[in-house]
Amino acid sequence: MPGGSGTAAGGFDGVVVASEQALFVPSGMSVWELSVQQGAQAKADQDYAKRSTGPTGEDPSEITYVQVILASWTKAKIWAAGHGAEQRWKEVRAYNLDQVHTWLDSAPATMVWLAERLGKALPGVRHARSWWEDTWIPSTKVSLTAELVLAGRGAAAVSMADLLASGRKTITVGGDLRTDELHAFVAAALARMSTAHDKGADARTLLVRSSDSLAQLLGQPQPLVLVVPDARLLSDLPHLHPHQIVMPAALGGNAAVDVPRVDGEAVSELLITAEVEHEHAYMYGTLARRSIPALRRALAVQPEILTPTWAQAPGFVVRRLLLVAAWNGLASADRELLEDFLGRAYAEIREAGVALVSEGEDPFLGSYSAMT
């Protein structure tokens, strides 16, 4: 299906070869004519009249002809049946606005992708591939490619691909990856998946940060891969669903995929190949070893946009919680000492602490469990 300026080229608007029947796509070869014009019946007749063979002269009796018009077309079924009776083509199909809408309802990942393009994105949800291509890659002066994000992590990426292809329902990821690095690792692993794995996985993978949107997506019948960086979003949601969940492993728990730190030397070599000066490349390699999000900030096109939550938090939270280090939120004596030390009510302290450790990358504070 050509896009952009390719839509002005001659020939069919699309040619599809499918190994099996899908809900809206026939098996075998099909040729597609697409339009958004009003006057659907006349447009359909015009397109049909100029097509008598396959894209390179193939016998039309072995090919399905599909007319799609994104407009009101009440006689679509009658039109398809009439031309199908001519037996010029193997089959003739006609899809109107209502059927396209039905298709989107059955393809939630595509719906999320399209909603992003139309400025109507589902709150807290990004399509993994579009996030990688439109947000992650362009955000730095030197692209943090899949090869760089997975430097020294090849085995972990293969393990992730294997588990996704196996259909495993819950895949826990270890390595203390915060939100953006978890997203980058999954997106990079998907980009590197071989043909031996489920190459379609990246098309149905969504990054989810909203509990309301997550609940809506879990109710969809088509299997999705949902990357959820905050396990608390799953606590009150149904456990019976057809989807795969990728989430961080619990602190101290066993992870299905253990992600090591990146290989700093490999990162340096990749940056040198990208024409970064040697001195800077090795400095960035060391930084990457510590934190990929930190490397991203160092190479950011607009650093102010990538300022992490902990760097924006009120000064008293960062400075004084660093001095406290840890406490037992179930012990009244600990809570009282914390309130005296910070000069704030414990509820406010806890809320600020949770915000620091649950969003973005925090280089100082430990896990949320230390503050419960």
Side-chain angles (χ1 to χ4, degrees):
M1 298 284 179
S5 60
T7 59
F12 291 99
D13 292 329
V15 178
V16 177
V17 178
S19 60
E20 59 185 46
Q21 175 85 10
L23 184 59
F24 289 94
V25 180
S27 61
M29 177 178 285
S30 57
V31 291
W32 297 62
E33 290 290 351
L34 316 175
S35 176
V36 295
Q37 292 185 18
Q38 299 299 316
Q41 192 81 1
K43 173 59 175 171
D45 287 338
Q46 178 185 342
D47 286 343
Y48 185 83
K50 62 185 180 183
R51 305 300 184 195
S52 59
T53 65
T56 56
E58 294 92 344
D59 181 356
S61 66
E62 301 297 324
I63 303 172
T64 299
Y65 182 95
V66 185
Q67 183 80 44
V68 183
I69 298 183
L70 200 63
S72 177
W73 185 14
T74 57
K75 297 182 179 180
K77 289 184 178 180
I78 297 174
W79 182 91
H83 286 295
E86 298 172 5
Q87 297 185 348
R88 179 196 302 180
W89 300 90
K90 176 182 178 181
E91 182 187 356
V92 175
R93 298 189 182 190
Y95 297 145
N96 59 16
L97 180 63
D98 292 335
Q99 281 141 335
V100 172
H101 189 277
T102 300
W103 163 63
L104 283 172
D105 284 342
S106 68
T110 303
M111 183 169 61
V112 168
W113 172 85
L114 181 60
E116 290 178 7
R117 295 299 188 272
L118 297 176
K120 300 178 179 180
L122 199 62
V125 179
R126 290 293 308 275
H127 190 275
R129 184 193 296 168
S130 65
W131 176 84
W132 175 259
E133 295 175 350
D134 301 337
T135 300
W136 179 268
I137 293 296
S139 68
T140 51
K141 299 169 186 175
V142 179
S143 294
L144 302 185
T145 62
E147 190 176 12
L148 189 148
V149 171
L150 298 179
R153 294 169 162 177
V158 171
S159 179
M160 171 64 73
D162 288 342
L163 289 171
L164 286 172
S166 74
R168 180 165 173 164
K169 291 299 183 183
T170 302
I171 303 173
T172 53
V173 181
D176 194 28
L177 305 185
R178 299 305 170 96
T179 299
D180 281 350
E181 189 167 6
L182 174 62
H183 288 172
F185 170 75
V186 173
L190 290 169
R192 294 279 297 275
M193 283 176 74
S194 69
T195 54
H197 295 98
D198 180 5
K199 285 290 287 183
D202 69 331
R204 56 187 179 85
T205 297
L206 304 176
L207 314 176
V208 188
R209 303 191 193 199
S210 162
S211 58
D212 291 338
S213 296
L214 179 59
Q216 183 176 338
L217 291 169
L218 287 176
Q220 296 289 339
Q222 186 193 60
L224 299 168
V225 177
L226 304 174
V227 183
V228 184
D230 186 351
R232 290 172 294 168
L233 298 181
L234 296 161
S235 59
D236 295 324
L237 296 173
H239 293 281
L240 296 177
H241 55 76
H243 313 295
Q244 293 176 275
I245 304 293
V246 178
M247 58 184 286
L251 183 67
N254 293 325
V257 180
D258 191 15
V259 183
R261 295 182 182 273
V262 297
D263 183 332
E265 291 187 9
V267 169
S268 299
E269 294 299 325
L270 288 169
L271 292 174
I272 290 171
T273 302
E275 300 185 353
V276 175
E277 293 183 3
H278 283 63
E279 181 180 352
H280 290 157
Y282 286 108
M283 177 185 69
Y284 289 142
T286 301
L287 183 61
R289 175 74 178 170
R290 186 170 80 236
S291 166
I292 285 289
L295 174 64
R296 186 185 181 208
R297 291 196 298 274
L299 294 172
V301 175
Q302 295 179 285
E304 59 277 5
I305 293 178
L306 299 181
T307 302
T309 303
W310 58 263
Q312 300 173 356
F316 86 90
V317 173
V318 174
R319 292 193 301 270
R320 298 196 178 189
L321 287 184
L322 282 174
L323 292 173
V324 172
W327 68 90
N328 183 353
L330 300 178
S332 59
D334 280 17
R335 295 198 300 270
E336 291 173 3
L337 286 171
L338 206 60
E339 289 177 335
D340 289 343
F341 185 61
L342 272 74
R344 299 288 197 281
Y346 182 72
E348 182 181 352
I349 297 169
R350 183 179 182 279
E351 181 179 356
V354 168
L356 280 174
V357 299
S358 63
E359 297 181 13
E361 178 219 14
D362 166 29
F364 305 116
L365 298 177
S367 70
Y368 163 68
S369 61
M371 303 181 191
T372 55

